[in-house]
Amino acid sequence: MTSPHLSVRGVFKRFGPVVAVHDVSFDVAHGEILGLIGPNGSGKSTLFNCILGQTAPDAGSVEVDGRRVTGRRACDLSLLGVGRTFQQLAVFPGLSVLDNIIFAAQEHRGGMLGRLFMRPDAGLTEEADRMIEFFRLGAVRNKLAGDISYGQRKLVDAAMAFMAGPKLVLLDEPAGGVNPTMLAELRERLQTYNREHGTTFVVIEHNMDFVMSLCGRIMALAEGRIIADGTPDEVRADRTVIDSYLGG
Amino acid sequence: MRAHREAIAVAVVVAALIVAPLGQGNYIAYLLCSWLMLAIAAMGLNLTLGYAGRISLAQASFIGIGAYATSIVTLAHYPWVLGMAVGVVLCFLVGLLLGFPALRVRGHYLAFVTLAFNSLFFLVARNEDWLTGGTYGLSGMPRPRIGPVSTSGQLAFYYFTLAVALLAALVLRLIVRSPWGRAFKALRENEVRAESLGLDVRRLTLLAFAIGSAYGGLAGAIEAPLVQYIDPGSFDVVQSLSLLLMVVVGGLGEFWGPVLGSAVAVLLPEALRVTAAYYLMLYAIAVILLMTRCPGGLIGLARRIAARPARRRGAAVS
Ligand SMILES: Nc1ncnc2c1ncn2[C@@H]1O[C@H](COP(=O)(O)OP(=O)(O)O)[C@@H](O)[C@H]1O
Ligand SMILES: [Mg+2]
């Protein structure tokens, strides 16, 4: 088990004249929590989208568990055990919290035709309720996801990323716009999940306290390139990082 | 408990539908048939638009495909079931093809693409005389026989239509109650998120069009023997728009919405016949009021009214 869980090699992505991701390569080990920091527009979200099949990279390759996934669709990645959240909140506002969370796993159950003949909940209510309890969403279980608070929706979003039992989860600014109490709760939930399931995380985050205390390793991106990679203390002390991000 | 109440309501309505045309003239039975036929087509459009969130202004052309297929097959003395099957399968396949543009464009653009398809169908139906009878259309389609029983009488044909409509509703109900229903809604609400959770967005979008269009085909298979005369004009864009209105008035994404919306469109003009020329004006004003005050349509309005006493009760407690 020395092979990396996620391996990114030479990924390039440009939008017209803008090079959003510039020759990025890195590995993430099984069970690791990697933080990804960098100023706005440094290419973090685009990198996620390239890894997850949402955007086709112009060059480079991505491997999950030694399997090449470059060019695969986002739904394939999900079925291969890679979960994610989006920077822009992404829940289904017209569905109940319970339905949001059930949906997050139903496409992993059987084949498409088979699902037509399954019970309405695809046998997932119990599991969804466990997830609802884990993220302490019990009070809003039957409310529409569009009717609950922003912080609660962030939790629903996270719960959805975990529902199908992914081995690798990529979180894009999970703490953005979340109040301090909810923030501590979110960090604690993520750490607990990582400890209990050995799930690998890559977390994009601007909140330094959050990311420094959550992650064992931090990578800094600027203008599409990796400018630092190390422990939180190392990265915090790095001159280039201070100049391009922390200091500025 | 809610499912329980719904089952009772459905049973009451079905019972009412069984006795409704008894002792009435043929015209009432004919009117009820028209309603049920349109309800089937609107149910299909509701799947595509209400559940899956993909607009189609081509539903009338699918009624047309179903009606022409059924007419051609039955006029050649083959049984109705065969004509219906040909029409439904054809609509499923053509609907699948129409789904491909929906993978690329949304909203207004998709509306125009589907509108163009409806015009294309209209032109083909008008110009290919050898198949469709051109502007003269096709007439004299026989009504189906079920074993020894003929449905050529208006009442018999009404019960036949009712049975088909109930079956169609049941099948759709099973589809939207299954995990597929949730997937259609997820597709409507946030396609990118849905795909990131494992949904094959491409396949489900195509299916939303294919199934919705197949329901149009089934409606056409009823229309042909009901009206016994079809021409391209019965399936033009105006008819597609009117189907869209039925779905929206009933309540988008509400299972019973299209049934209610088509009832309003077909039966209300009769009820308001006394108002003569003012009917369309009254209808237009009612639609404007409904859409601006209650975008959830009639079912949404009913839900709001039903929820009101509960809220008052809640307020009294606190
Ligand atoms: N779909 C897109 N089309 C054009 N430019 C884009 C697109 N997505 C991102 N970009 C550009 O790529 C750069 C990186 O953006 P992004 O990955 O969102 O950065 P970050 O997540 O680090 O804030 C920015 O300059 C942004 O404007
Ligand atoms: Mg970003």
Side-chain angles (χ1 to χ4, degrees):
Chain A
M1 288 300 277
T2 47
S3 79
H5 196 165
L6 173 68
S7 175
V8 175
R9 287 285 161 270
V11 166
F12 261 97
K13 180 69 195 180
R14 59 160 74 231
F15 295 104
V18 179
V19 180
V21 179
H22 193 114
D23 191 20
V24 166
S25 303
F26 64 96
D27 288 339
V28 187
H30 284 93
E32 190 172 10
I33 303 185
L34 169 67
L36 195 57
I37 63 170
N40 272 326
S42 58
K44 306 180 299 294
S45 296
T46 305
L47 179 60
F48 265 21
N49 288 337
C50 287
I51 294 170
L52 288 154
Q54 226 94 42
T55 309
D58 298 323
S61 69
V62 178
E63 284 182 12
V64 172
D65 263 327
R67 186 202 300 244
R68 203 185 144 94
V69 298
T70 332
R72 301 284 292 270
R73 288 192 291 162
C75 55
D76 297 331
L77 265 294
S78 167
L79 298 179
L80 284 171
V82 186
R84 80 169 297 185
T85 65
F86 289 81
Q87 183 174 347
Q88 300 306 343
L89 192 67
V91 297
F92 306 108
L95 300 187
S96 70
V97 167
L98 179 65
D99 275 326
N100 268 267
I101 291 170
I102 288 176
F103 177 74
Q106 75 171 42
E107 299 300 309
H108 294 243
R109 289 279 164 112
M112 192 165 198
L113 197 60
R115 282 194 291 280
L116 188 54
F117 301 99
M118 278 182 192
R119 281 172 34 197
D121 71 344
L124 286 163
T125 300
E126 243 175 71
E127 217 172 308
D129 275 329
R130 271 201 298 277
M131 195 56 77
I132 285 170
E133 198 180 325
F134 185 82
F135 281 97
R136 306 190 176 122
L137 287 162
V140 294
R141 178 185 189 266
N142 299 316
K143 289 205 171 148
L144 292 183
D147 289 347
I148 61 179
S149 77
Y150 184 85
Q152 287 168 327
R153 267 182 281 168
K154 275 294 218 205
L155 290 179
V156 171
D157 203 355
M160 286 203 286
F162 292 105
M163 185 58 192
K167 305 283 183 299
L168 167 65
V169 181
L170 283 70
L171 301 146
D172 196 342
E173 302 196 15
V178 176
N179 72 47
T181 329
M182 206 80 113
L183 208 64
E185 179 152 322
L186 182 66
R187 182 182 56 209
E188 187 269 324
R189 292 288 82 190
L190 292 178
Q191 279 167 333
T192 306
Y193 201 90
N194 170 261
R195 210 169 40 242
E196 287 176 358
H197 299 84
T199 311
T200 310
F201 288 123
V202 182
V203 187
I204 295 177
E205 192 44 69
H206 279 299
N207 186 317
M208 280 305 132
D209 292 338
F210 183 85
V211 78
M212 296 284 172
S213 57
L214 175 67
C215 305
R217 174 184 156 207
I218 309 271
M219 225 167 66
L221 225 62
E223 292 172 7
R225 299 168 199 260
I226 297 175
I227 55 165
D229 185 348
T231 64
D233 288 335
E234 284 166 2
V235 171
R236 219 195 308 248
D238 191 294
R239 272 284 15 130
T240 6
V241 176
I242 293 170
D243 288 346
S244 74
Y245 186 43
L246 295 177
Chain B
M1 198 184 91
R2 198 192 196 168
H4 196 68
R5 248 187 303 171
E6 189 182 0
I8 293 172
V10 170
V12 169
V13 171
V14 170
L17 286 177
I18 289 172
V19 298
L22 293 175
Q24 310 276 350
N26 277 345
Y27 185 64
I28 295 293
Y30 177 87
L31 218 55
L32 290 171
C33 285
S34 304
W35 164 44
L36 292 173
M37 184 274 288
L38 288 170
I40 294 172
M43 275 195 270
L45 182 57
N46 191 35
L47 182 76
T48 315
L49 177 60
Y51 284 88
R54 298 299 188 273
I55 190 151
S56 169
L57 291 178
Q59 190 69 341
S61 58
F62 290 104
I63 303 182
I65 292 173
Y68 276 107
T70 305
S71 302
I72 293 165
V73 169
T74 53
L75 286 172
H77 306 292
Y78 291 105
W80 177 85
V81 178
L82 184 67
M84 181 274 288
V86 169
V88 168
V89 170
L90 206 59
C91 286
F92 186 90
L93 295 176
V94 176
L96 206 64
L97 288 179
L98 190 63
F100 278 94
L103 300 176
R104 317 220 58 189
V105 296
R106 288 295 122 75
H108 303 90
Y109 298 100
L110 184 57
F112 281 118
V113 169
T114 53
L115 200 78
F117 175 81
N118 206 128
S119 308
L120 183 70
F121 168 81
F122 177 82
L123 291 175
V124 170
R126 204 184 57 187
N127 296 338
E128 304 300 314
D129 307 42
W130 61 276
L131 188 67
T132 63
T135 44
Y136 296 108
L138 299 171
S139 57
M141 285 72 85
R143 288 196 168 164
R145 297 188 67 84
I146 306 150
V149 184
S150 161
T151 63
S152 48
Q154 204 65 268
L155 199 61
F157 188 73
Y158 167 72
Y159 287 123
F160 173 76
T161 302
L162 181 60
V164 171
L166 286 176
L167 212 62
L170 179 69
V171 169
L172 195 66
R173 183 72 172 176
L174 291 176
I175 292 175
V176 301
R177 287 261 306 161
S178 80
W180 279 36
R182 194 180 292 108
F184 281 124
K185 288 186 207 158
L187 182 67
R188 171 189 76 197
E189 303 269 311
N190 190 335
E191 162 182 351
V192 172
R193 183 49 163 158
E195 177 146 44
S196 82
L197 293 168
L199 180 69
D200 191 333
V201 163
R202 219 183 286 171
R203 208 188 289 179
L204 201 73
T205 304
L206 296 180
L207 278 169
F209 271 90
I211 299 171
S213 305
Y215 269 71
L218 182 64
I222 296 289
E223 175 159 9
L226 170 67
V227 185
Q228 297 181 306
Y229 167 72
I230 58 169
D231 71 340
S234 334
F235 313 110
D236 62 8
V237 170
V238 174
Q239 188 62 28
S240 279
L241 286 170
S242 127
L243 281 160
L244 177 68
L245 193 62
M246 291 176 208
V247 175
V248 173
V249 164
L252 273 174
E254 295 285 357
F255 187 80
W256 297 111
V259 179
L260 217 59
S262 51
V264 168
V266 176
L267 306 179
L268 207 60
E270 299 303 320
L272 293 180
R273 195 167 259 194
V274 283
T275 64
Y278 292 109
Y279 158 68
L280 272 178
M281 258 195 266
L282 289 175
Y283 184 56
I285 291 167
V287 167
I288 291 169
L289 279 178
L290 184 71
M291 290 298 96
T292 50
R293 306 305 302 254
C294 188
L298 290 172
I299 302 266
L301 190 66
R303 266 191 214 292
R304 214 194 270 174
I305 291 166
R308 194 167 291 161
R311 207 175 304 142
R312 210 175 291 146
R313 238 178 287 138
V317 171
S318 63

